[in-house]
mmCIF file of all heavy atoms in Angstrom:
data_model
loop_
_atom_site.group_PDB
_atom_site.id
_atom_site.type_symbol
_atom_site.label_atom_id
_atom_site.label_comp_id
_atom_site.label_asym_id
_atom_site.label_seq_id
_atom_site.Cartn_x
_atom_site.Cartn_y
_atom_site.Cartn_z
ATOM 1 N N LYS H 25 265.976 -157.931 -23.341
ATOM 2 C CA LYS H 25 265.025 -157.487 -22.335
ATOM 3 C C LYS H 25 264.154 -158.664 -21.919
ATOM 4 O O LYS H 25 263.765 -159.476 -22.744
ATOM 5 C CB LYS H 25 264.127 -156.371 -22.891
ATOM 6 C CG LYS H 25 264.845 -155.064 -23.181
ATOM 7 C CD LYS H 25 263.846 -154.021 -23.657
ATOM 8 C CE LYS H 25 264.531 -152.701 -23.947
ATOM 9 N NZ LYS H 25 263.566 -151.673 -24.385
ATOM 10 N N ARG H 26 263.849 -158.737 -20.649
ATOM 11 C CA ARG H 26 262.998 -159.831 -20.183
ATOM 12 C C ARG H 26 262.078 -159.306 -19.093
ATOM 13 O O ARG H 26 262.507 -158.584 -18.191
ATOM 14 C CB ARG H 26 263.839 -160.990 -19.636
ATOM 15 C CG ARG H 26 264.843 -160.573 -18.575
ATOM 16 C CD ARG H 26 265.799 -161.715 -18.247
ATOM 17 N NE ARG H 26 266.828 -161.299 -17.319
ATOM 18 C CZ ARG H 26 266.702 -161.327 -15.993
ATOM 19 N NH1 ARG H 26 265.569 -161.748 -15.469
ATOM 20 N NH2 ARG H 26 267.679 -160.946 -15.216
ATOM 21 N N PRO H 27 260.823 -159.646 -19.155
ATOM 22 C CA PRO H 27 259.899 -159.178 -18.112
ATOM 23 C C PRO H 27 260.116 -159.947 -16.818
ATOM 24 O O PRO H 27 260.413 -161.139 -16.829
ATOM 25 C CB PRO H 27 258.530 -159.491 -18.709
ATOM 26 C CG PRO H 27 258.785 -160.636 -19.633
ATOM 27 C CD PRO H 27 260.161 -160.435 -20.182
ATOM 28 N N LEU H 28 260.018 -159.250 -15.707
ATOM 29 C CA LEU H 28 260.063 -159.905 -14.398
ATOM 30 C C LEU H 28 258.631 -159.999 -13.894
ATOM 31 O O LEU H 28 258.204 -159.251 -13.022
ATOM 32 C CB LEU H 28 260.945 -159.107 -13.426
ATOM 33 C CG LEU H 28 262.447 -159.195 -13.681
ATOM 34 C CD1 LEU H 28 263.201 -158.344 -12.678
ATOM 35 C CD2 LEU H 28 262.932 -160.627 -13.613
ATOM 36 N N ASP H 29 257.894 -160.921 -14.464
ATOM 37 C CA ASP H 29 256.478 -161.024 -14.127
ATOM 38 C C ASP H 29 256.251 -161.391 -12.669
ATOM 39 O O ASP H 29 255.192 -161.102 -12.114
ATOM 40 C CB ASP H 29 255.806 -162.072 -15.023
ATOM 41 C CG ASP H 29 255.773 -161.628 -16.487
ATOM 42 O OD1 ASP H 29 255.709 -160.410 -16.708
ATOM 43 O OD2 ASP H 29 255.820 -162.499 -17.364
ATOM 44 N N ASP H 30 257.249 -162.053 -12.055
ATOM 45 C CA ASP H 30 257.052 -162.501 -10.681
ATOM 46 C C ASP H 30 257.477 -161.461 -9.662
ATOM 47 O O ASP H 30 257.340 -161.673 -8.459
ATOM 48 C CB ASP H 30 257.790 -163.814 -10.430
ATOM 49 C CG ASP H 30 259.299 -163.701 -10.648
ATOM 50 O OD1 ASP H 30 259.724 -162.730 -11.312
ATOM 51 O OD2 ASP H 30 260.028 -164.566 -10.154
ATOM 52 N N VAL H 31 258.030 -160.325 -10.106
ATOM 53 C CA VAL H 31 258.406 -159.257 -9.177
ATOM 54 C C VAL H 31 257.192 -158.364 -8.949
ATOM 55 O O VAL H 31 256.689 -157.729 -9.870
ATOM 56 C CB VAL H 31 259.590 -158.435 -9.704
ATOM 57 C CG1 VAL H 31 259.829 -157.204 -8.827
ATOM 58 C CG2 VAL H 31 260.850 -159.293 -9.753
ATOM 59 N N VAL H 32 256.724 -158.339 -7.726
ATOM 60 C CA VAL H 32 255.512 -157.586 -7.417
ATOM 61 C C VAL H 32 255.798 -156.273 -6.699
ATOM 62 O O VAL H 32 254.916 -155.435 -6.562
ATOM 63 C CB VAL H 32 254.558 -158.439 -6.556
ATOM 64 C CG1 VAL H 32 254.082 -159.664 -7.325
ATOM 65 C CG2 VAL H 32 255.229 -158.875 -5.241
ATOM 66 N N LEU H 33 257.044 -156.112 -6.247
ATOM 67 C CA LEU H 33 257.392 -154.914 -5.472
ATOM 68 C C LEU H 33 258.835 -154.533 -5.742
ATOM 69 O O LEU H 33 259.727 -155.391 -5.734
ATOM 70 C CB LEU H 33 257.202 -155.195 -3.974
ATOM 71 C CG LEU H 33 257.665 -154.120 -2.983
ATOM 72 C CD1 LEU H 33 256.834 -152.842 -3.122
ATOM 73 C CD2 LEU H 33 257.588 -154.652 -1.547
ATOM 74 N N VAL H 34 259.074 -153.258 -5.992
ATOM 75 C CA VAL H 34 260.427 -152.712 -6.086
ATOM 76 C C VAL H 34 260.543 -151.590 -5.062
ATOM 77 O O VAL H 34 259.738 -150.656 -5.054
ATOM 78 C CB VAL H 34 260.747 -152.181 -7.496
ATOM 79 C CG1 VAL H 34 262.090 -151.438 -7.495
ATOM 80 C CG2 VAL H 34 260.778 -153.319 -8.505
ATOM 81 N N GLY H 57 264.176 -155.723 -5.695
ATOM 82 C CA GLY H 57 262.971 -156.332 -6.242
ATOM 83 C C GLY H 57 262.558 -157.548 -5.437
ATOM 84 O O GLY H 57 263.387 -158.376 -5.073
ATOM 85 N N VAL H 58 261.264 -157.656 -5.153
ATOM 86 C CA VAL H 58 260.720 -158.756 -4.356
ATOM 87 C C VAL H 58 259.745 -159.560 -5.209
ATOM 88 O O VAL H 58 258.832 -158.997 -5.816
ATOM 89 C CB VAL H 58 260.000 -158.231 -3.096
ATOM 90 C CG1 VAL H 58 259.486 -159.389 -2.251
ATOM 91 C CG2 VAL H 58 260.933 -157.354 -2.279
ATOM 92 N N ARG H 59 259.958 -160.876 -5.253
ATOM 93 C CA ARG H 59 259.060 -161.762 -5.990
ATOM 94 C C ARG H 59 257.776 -161.989 -5.199
ATOM 95 O O ARG H 59 257.707 -161.736 -3.998
ATOM 96 C CB ARG H 59 259.733 -163.098 -6.259
ATOM 97 C CG ARG H 59 260.986 -163.018 -7.130
ATOM 98 C CD ARG H 59 261.506 -164.403 -7.438
ATOM 99 N NE ARG H 59 262.692 -164.363 -8.285
ATOM 100 C CZ ARG H 59 263.934 -164.344 -7.823
ATOM 101 N NH1 ARG H 59 264.139 -164.367 -6.514
ATOM 102 N NH2 ARG H 59 264.961 -164.312 -8.645
ATOM 103 N N ALA H 60 256.778 -162.522 -5.880
ATOM 104 C CA ALA H 60 255.487 -162.782 -5.244
ATOM 105 C C ALA H 60 255.618 -163.765 -4.093
ATOM 106 O O ALA H 60 254.861 -163.709 -3.127
ATOM 107 C CB ALA H 60 254.494 -163.309 -6.272
ATOM 108 N N ALA H 65 264.606 -160.751 -5.733
ATOM 109 C CA ALA H 65 265.002 -161.021 -7.126
ATOM 110 C C ALA H 65 266.296 -160.309 -7.480
ATOM 111 O O ALA H 65 267.123 -160.834 -8.223
ATOM 112 C CB ALA H 65 263.887 -160.598 -8.074
ATOM 113 N N PHE H 66 266.495 -159.112 -6.959
ATOM 114 C CA PHE H 66 267.718 -158.351 -7.227
ATOM 115 C C PHE H 66 267.859 -157.248 -6.192
ATOM 116 O O PHE H 66 266.875 -156.815 -5.575
ATOM 117 C CB PHE H 66 267.714 -157.751 -8.646
ATOM 118 C CG PHE H 66 266.522 -156.888 -8.961
ATOM 119 C CD1 PHE H 66 266.457 -155.562 -8.543
ATOM 120 C CD2 PHE H 66 265.448 -157.415 -9.665
ATOM 121 C CE1 PHE H 66 265.352 -154.775 -8.833
ATOM 122 C CE2 PHE H 66 264.333 -156.633 -9.965
ATOM 123 C CZ PHE H 66 264.289 -155.321 -9.548
ATOM 124 N N LEU H 75 261.452 -144.740 -12.397
ATOM 125 C CA LEU H 75 260.890 -146.071 -12.596
ATOM 126 C C LEU H 75 259.384 -146.021 -12.453
ATOM 127 O O LEU H 75 258.848 -145.248 -11.650
ATOM 128 C CB LEU H 75 261.453 -147.061 -11.569
ATOM 129 C CG LEU H 75 262.886 -147.555 -11.745
ATOM 130 C CD1 LEU H 75 263.232 -148.497 -10.604
ATOM 131 C CD2 LEU H 75 263.067 -148.255 -13.081
ATOM 132 N N SER H 76 258.724 -146.871 -13.212
ATOM 133 C CA SER H 76 257.275 -147.016 -13.092
ATOM 134 C C SER H 76 256.918 -148.405 -13.605
ATOM 135 O O SER H 76 257.709 -149.038 -14.317
ATOM 136 C CB SER H 76 256.550 -145.940 -13.908
ATOM 137 O OG SER H 76 256.891 -146.064 -15.281
ATOM 138 N N PRO H 77 255.743 -148.919 -13.244
ATOM 139 C CA PRO H 77 255.333 -150.225 -13.775
ATOM 140 C C PRO H 77 255.377 -150.236 -15.297
ATOM 141 O O PRO H 77 254.905 -149.307 -15.955
ATOM 142 C CB PRO H 77 253.903 -150.377 -13.249
ATOM 143 C CG PRO H 77 253.872 -149.551 -12.006
ATOM 144 C CD PRO H 77 254.746 -148.373 -12.301
ATOM 145 N N GLY H 78 256.016 -151.272 -15.851
ATOM 146 C CA GLY H 78 256.150 -151.378 -17.291
ATOM 147 C C GLY H 78 257.427 -150.771 -17.839
ATOM 148 O O GLY H 78 257.755 -150.964 -19.013
ATOM 149 N N SER H 79 258.182 -150.028 -17.012
ATOM 150 C CA SER H 79 259.409 -149.401 -17.500
ATOM 151 C C SER H 79 260.580 -150.379 -17.449
ATOM 152 O O SER H 79 260.502 -151.448 -16.846
ATOM 153 C CB SER H 79 259.732 -148.157 -16.672
ATOM 154 O OG SER H 79 260.041 -148.519 -15.333
ATOM 155 N N SER H 80 261.674 -149.996 -18.098
ATOM 156 C CA SER H 80 262.871 -150.839 -18.136
ATOM 157 C C SER H 80 263.824 -150.452 -17.006
ATOM 158 O O SER H 80 263.901 -149.289 -16.609
ATOM 159 C CB SER H 80 263.584 -150.692 -19.484
ATOM 160 O OG SER H 80 262.771 -151.175 -20.527
ATOM 161 N N LEU H 81 264.564 -151.446 -16.539
ATOM 162 C CA LEU H 81 265.570 -151.233 -15.501
ATOM 163 C C LEU H 81 266.812 -152.000 -15.913
ATOM 164 O O LEU H 81 266.762 -153.214 -16.133
ATOM 165 C CB LEU H 81 265.055 -151.740 -14.150
ATOM 166 C CG LEU H 81 266.050 -151.740 -12.985
ATOM 167 C CD1 LEU H 81 266.480 -150.313 -12.645
ATOM 168 C CD2 LEU H 81 265.431 -152.412 -11.760
ATOM 169 N N GLU H 88 269.069 -155.954 -18.927
ATOM 170 C CA GLU H 88 267.941 -155.018 -18.939
ATOM 171 C C GLU H 88 266.651 -155.796 -18.739
ATOM 172 O O GLU H 88 266.369 -156.765 -19.443
ATOM 173 C CB GLU H 88 267.892 -154.254 -20.258
ATOM 174 C CG GLU H 88 266.823 -153.166 -20.272
ATOM 175 C CD GLU H 88 266.863 -152.335 -21.545
ATOM 176 O OE1 GLU H 88 267.658 -152.682 -22.445
ATOM 177 O OE2 GLU H 88 266.108 -151.358 -21.639
ATOM 178 N N VAL H 89 265.881 -155.366 -17.771
ATOM 179 C CA VAL H 89 264.639 -156.065 -17.461
ATOM 180 C C VAL H 89 263.473 -155.087 -17.575
ATOM 181 O O VAL H 89 263.640 -153.872 -17.488
ATOM 182 C CB VAL H 89 264.674 -156.669 -16.036
ATOM 183 C CG1 VAL H 89 265.773 -157.692 -15.903
ATOM 184 C CG2 VAL H 89 264.818 -155.575 -14.987
ATOM 185 N N VAL H 90 262.310 -155.660 -17.777
ATOM 186 C CA VAL H 90 261.088 -154.858 -17.867
ATOM 187 C C VAL H 90 260.201 -155.210 -16.684
ATOM 188 O O VAL H 90 259.865 -156.371 -16.463
ATOM 189 C CB VAL H 90 260.332 -155.134 -19.186
ATOM 190 C CG1 VAL H 90 259.048 -154.312 -19.236
ATOM 191 C CG2 VAL H 90 261.213 -154.827 -20.393
ATOM 192 N N LEU H 91 259.861 -154.205 -15.894
ATOM 193 C CA LEU H 91 258.987 -154.429 -14.751
ATOM 194 C C LEU H 91 257.559 -154.656 -15.246
ATOM 195 O O LEU H 91 257.102 -154.011 -16.188
ATOM 196 C CB LEU H 91 259.030 -153.235 -13.804
ATOM 197 C CG LEU H 91 260.420 -152.872 -13.254
ATOM 198 C CD1 LEU H 91 260.324 -151.640 -12.366
ATOM 199 C CD2 LEU H 91 261.023 -154.034 -12.491
ATOM 200 N N SER H 92 256.874 -155.573 -14.584
ATOM 201 C CA SER H 92 255.512 -155.880 -15.003
ATOM 202 C C SER H 92 254.588 -154.695 -14.713
ATOM 203 O O SER H 92 254.875 -153.838 -13.880
ATOM 204 C CB SER H 92 255.003 -157.121 -14.278
ATOM 205 O OG SER H 92 254.853 -156.849 -12.893
ATOM 206 N N ARG H 93 253.453 -154.660 -15.403
ATOM 207 C CA ARG H 93 252.495 -153.569 -15.227
ATOM 208 C C ARG H 93 251.907 -153.547 -13.816
ATOM 209 O O ARG H 93 251.500 -152.508 -13.314
ATOM 210 C CB ARG H 93 251.372 -153.713 -16.249
ATOM 211 C CG ARG H 93 251.800 -153.469 -17.682
ATOM 212 C CD ARG H 93 252.086 -152.006 -17.920
ATOM 213 N NE ARG H 93 252.495 -151.754 -19.290
ATOM 214 C CZ ARG H 93 252.875 -150.550 -19.723
ATOM 215 N NH1 ARG H 93 252.888 -149.521 -18.881
ATOM 216 N NH2 ARG H 93 253.257 -150.383 -20.968
ATOM 217 N N GLY H 94 251.873 -154.705 -13.179
ATOM 218 C CA GLY H 94 251.294 -154.758 -11.838
ATOM 219 C C GLY H 94 252.288 -154.530 -10.721
ATOM 220 O O GLY H 94 251.945 -154.597 -9.538
ATOM 221 N N CYS H 95 253.543 -154.259 -11.079
ATOM 222 C CA CYS H 95 254.585 -154.082 -10.059
ATOM 223 C C CYS H 95 254.379 -152.774 -9.290
ATOM 224 O O CYS H 95 254.091 -151.727 -9.865
ATOM 225 C CB CYS H 95 255.955 -154.090 -10.732
ATOM 226 S SG CYS H 95 257.335 -153.968 -9.589
ATOM 227 N N VAL H 96 254.539 -152.839 -7.984
ATOM 228 C CA VAL H 96 254.420 -151.652 -7.126
ATOM 229 C C VAL H 96 255.812 -151.073 -6.889
ATOM 230 O O VAL H 96 256.744 -151.802 -6.533
ATOM 231 C CB VAL H 96 253.766 -152.015 -5.776
ATOM 232 C CG1 VAL H 96 253.754 -150.809 -4.845
ATOM 233 C CG2 VAL H 96 252.358 -152.541 -6.001
ATOM 234 N N ILE H 97 255.966 -149.777 -7.087
ATOM 235 C CA ILE H 97 257.232 -149.078 -6.836
ATOM 236 C C ILE H 97 257.072 -148.293 -5.534
ATOM 237 O O ILE H 97 256.170 -147.461 -5.421
ATOM 238 C CB ILE H 97 257.597 -148.103 -7.969
ATOM 239 C CG1 ILE H 97 257.422 -148.764 -9.334
ATOM 240 C CG2 ILE H 97 259.002 -147.573 -7.768
ATOM 241 C CD1 ILE H 97 258.353 -149.888 -9.610
#
Side-chain angles (χ1 to χ4, degrees):
K25 293 183 180 181
R26 53 190 175 87
L28 287 179
D29 293 330
D30 60 342
V31 171
V32 296
L33 173 65
V34 172
V58 182
R59 298 185 179 92
F66 55 81
L75 286 179
S76 61
S79 66
S80 295
L81 173 64
E88 186 175 5
V89 298
V90 179
L91 302 178
S92 67
R93 291 289 180 184
C95 183
V96 175
I97 313 294

